[in-house]
Amino acid sequence: MTDADRAAPRRARLTGRQWAALAVLVLPVLLISIDMTVLGFAVPFLSEDLAPTSSQLLWIVDVYGFVLAGLLVTMGSIADRIGRRRLLIIGAAAFAAASVAAAYAPTAEALIAARALLGLAGATLMPTTLGLMRNLFTDDRQRLFAIAVWGTGFSAGSAAGPVLGGWLLEHFWWGSVFLMAAPVSLAVLVAAPLLLPESRNAEPGPVDWGGVVLSFLAMFPFVYGVKSFAEHGLSAVAVGAIGLGAVAAWLFVRRQRRLDHPLIDVALFGLRRFSASIATNFTIVFALISSLFLLTQYLQLVLGYSPMRAGLLLLPGMAVSIAAGLVAVRLSERFGLVRIIVGGLGFVIVGFGALAFIGVESGALLVVGAFVLISVGAGLVQTVTNDAIIAAAPAERAGAAAAISETAYELGGAMGVALLGSVATGIYRSELDAAPGGAPEAAKETLGEAAHVAETLPAEAGEALMDAARTAFTDGLRATSVIGAVLVAVALVFVGRALRARAAE
């Protein structure tokens, strides 16, 4: 063994200060991932307290992800100019304040606004932590390890969210799931100035504010149109909103192609391996987050489990997702990227297919097994695709590639809840409309509201309403599971062909 060989492992070791700095950089990631998964458990409780409509409930859940996804790249550009540590501190303070506002929101509209502010604050955290990491860990091995730990923070936060949320909801009110973010944000505020060096881009290009506006015009009208279609059926408003979103998306792409400093470097999508990996990540998160949103309500409101017990039932899936992520790189070295991605997507398809067989009276064990399969596939796929995304892009565009990857992740989760959640809502409302004797209008909004209405009715009528509502919700969940399986299967075919074609080149 040469002296250089002996020195390499020593260079890869982190100092105590680097370990502490890495812990600070992982905390914001934990905040974001917990916030994405914990809210589903609070839905039955806030539904009873705030009585949101079905459309408002979907906005409460996914406005956070849409604002976050829409501003990730923008905030990365701002961080380059004012300093990444400075923006991280500002974002942590804003996240704490918005969490308190969400916890004490008096109305559904106020909670939607607070969740939007949480998304705005969250958008400052991810690009700043990655940017700081590149400066903190200059050794390639150190940086690879640090990014792996940073990425594991997402899975750990997703795993902790259901358990923490379940415990809090059994002991406190629904707002407590938001308040737990405040002390973590304060820890970042205190530790960041002490442990993190400031960094900024010496020669940044101008921020594409026109692109920012077009990205939101592409995203929000489209989602509003889908929600309107699910709630009220086909209408001029729904068609017009979807059309506006499509036109804005076309203008956005056209604008980005001709700018010297685009908001998103769309030329990267010309790299087959890059575009295939982005599409895979988007689809996986689209399916995973939407399933969490519906399964948490199913376990609590259909099967009658407590929040804590429901969280524990989903914990095995989250745990195996972390384990799958840790072994994915080694497996890809042995079996190849294409086989791992195709195999992982296969697990997800089988998991969603299994959810198509859940029942109104039983299904907890089926949910556990199906979610384990979905999580194994997601853990395997996301790890190797994230590595492929960075490796496929030229070195000078690695930052842009990372920003697109993060945006796809957050947008996939928000779109999953918005689209599949809207489909489930549409099925739920249509079945209650067709129920013998009909159902009170308020009960058609959400399953949580149906439970509240049932408590005000005579025993027999209340029981009949809940039977109809549980059946309608379960039918919606089964239908969206089939849709999720089909979408992932389409992604499997597309990605498998794209990556095999590249390997054959």
Side-chain angles (χ1 to χ4, degrees):
M1 179 181 292
T2 66
D3 292 341
D5 292 331
R6 295 188 184 96
R10 286 195 294 270
R11 286 198 304 269
R13 293 174 183 168
L14 303 184
T15 65
R17 185 178 182 85
Q18 284 179 313
W19 274 111
L22 180 57
V24 174
L25 294 176
V26 171
L27 285 177
V29 175
L30 288 171
L31 276 178
I32 292 170
S33 58
I34 288 174
D35 207 72
M36 287 186 71
T37 57
V38 73
L39 184 59
F41 288 87
V43 164
F45 300 88
L46 66 86
S47 294
E48 181 178 352
D49 193 15
L50 303 182
T53 65
S54 57
S55 180
Q56 286 176 330
L57 181 60
L58 290 176
W59 277 116
I60 287 170
V61 175
D62 57 34
V63 70
Y64 168 81
F66 280 117
V67 173
L68 196 156
L71 290 176
L72 271 172
V73 179
T74 302
M75 288 302 177
S77 298
I78 293 174
D80 289 342
R81 289 155 179 77
I82 72 171
R84 298 179 182 99
R85 185 182 68 180
R86 178 182 297 178
L87 187 61
L88 176 63
I89 292 172
I90 293 171
F95 204 95
S99 296
V100 174
Y104 293 101
T107 64
E109 292 83 359
L111 183 54
I112 292 171
R115 290 278 292 169
L117 291 175
L118 278 170
L120 173 63
T124 69
L125 303 179
M126 290 176 65
T128 52
T129 54
L130 271 180
L132 288 165
M133 200 171 291
R134 293 189 184 99
N135 290 330
L136 272 170
F137 307 101
T138 55
D139 180 85
D140 289 344
R141 295 186 184 183
Q142 287 182 341
R143 187 166 56 251
L144 180 61
F145 173 76
I147 291 176
V149 172
W150 182 88
T152 303
F154 281 104
S155 297
S158 299
V163 178
L164 286 174
W167 184 85
L168 288 170
L169 290 168
E170 288 193 7
H171 294 83
F172 306 99
W173 90 114
W174 59 263
S176 62
V177 302
F178 296 110
L179 278 185
M180 68 178 178
V184 180
S185 300
L186 293 175
V188 174
L189 283 175
V190 172
L194 300 175
L195 296 169
L196 303 179
E198 185 58 281
S199 69
R200 56 173 57 87
N201 192 337
E203 298 180 358
V207 178
D208 177 24
W209 293 110
V212 174
V213 173
L214 283 174
S215 68
F216 273 89
L217 285 177
M219 191 183 309
F220 280 93
F222 178 80
V223 175
Y224 177 81
V226 172
K227 292 175 183 291
S228 177
F229 176 75
E231 189 169 2
H232 305 295
L234 187 64
S235 66
V237 172
V239 173
I242 293 172
L244 175 60
V247 171
W250 178 76
L251 291 173
F252 174 79
V253 173
R254 185 180 179 185
R255 177 183 178 87
Q256 299 307 296
R257 282 177 172 169
R258 57 186 175 83
L259 290 179
D260 293 330
H261 300 282
L263 191 66
I264 291 181
D265 189 356
V266 294
L268 286 170
F269 288 95
L271 303 171
R272 193 188 299 268
R273 190 171 189 173
F274 177 88
S275 58
S277 297
I278 288 291
T280 302
N281 263 2
F282 178 89
T283 306
I284 284 287
V285 179
F286 179 98
L288 182 63
I289 300 300
S290 63
S291 67
L292 269 175
F293 170 67
L294 295 172
L295 288 178
T296 51
Q297 296 179 71
Y298 169 78
L299 290 172
Q300 293 179 84
L301 295 176
V302 176
L303 298 186
Y305 287 105
S306 68
M308 184 68 177
R309 191 174 179 187
L312 290 174
L313 286 173
L314 295 178
L315 185 59
M318 295 300 186
V320 298
S321 177
I322 296 174
L326 293 175
V327 302
V329 174
R330 183 170 296 179
L331 290 176
S332 68
E333 291 173 352
R334 180 174 179 180
F335 298 105
L337 176 70
V338 177
R339 289 182 180 178
I340 294 301
I341 291 180
V342 170
L345 290 176
F347 276 113
V348 176
I349 293 170
V350 174
F352 273 105
L355 288 177
F357 297 95
I358 60 172
V360 178
E361 300 297 333
S362 63
L365 291 179
L366 186 58
V367 166
V368 173
F371 195 64
V372 164
L373 290 171
I374 294 171
S375 300
V376 167
L380 288 172
V381 170
Q382 286 180 313
T383 300
V384 295
T385 51
N386 284 332
D387 180 66
I389 287 166
I390 301 302
E396 66 273 12
R397 289 189 282 176
I404 294 173
S405 177
E406 293 163 9
T407 302
Y409 182 93
E410 298 298 337
L411 186 58
M415 289 290 283
V417 173
L419 300 184
L420 293 188
S422 294
V423 171
T425 296
I427 294 172
Y428 174 80
R429 291 175 64 87
S430 65
E431 289 199 13
L432 283 189
D433 280 334
E441 196 62 33
K444 300 175 187 176
E445 293 295 340
T446 65
L447 182 56
E449 187 63 20
H452 180 63
V453 171
E455 293 177 354
T456 66
L457 299 176
E460 187 175 342
E463 185 176 345
L465 172 61
M466 283 309 299
D467 286 343
R470 290 191 186 100
T471 299
F473 186 89
T474 304
D475 288 344
L477 176 55
R478 283 196 288 250
T480 55
S481 297
V482 173
I483 294 172
V486 171
L487 289 174
V488 178
V490 171
L492 186 153
V493 173
F494 165 73
V495 173
R497 287 181 176 178
L499 293 178
R500 285 193 176 98
R502 182 188 182 279
E505 291 173 354

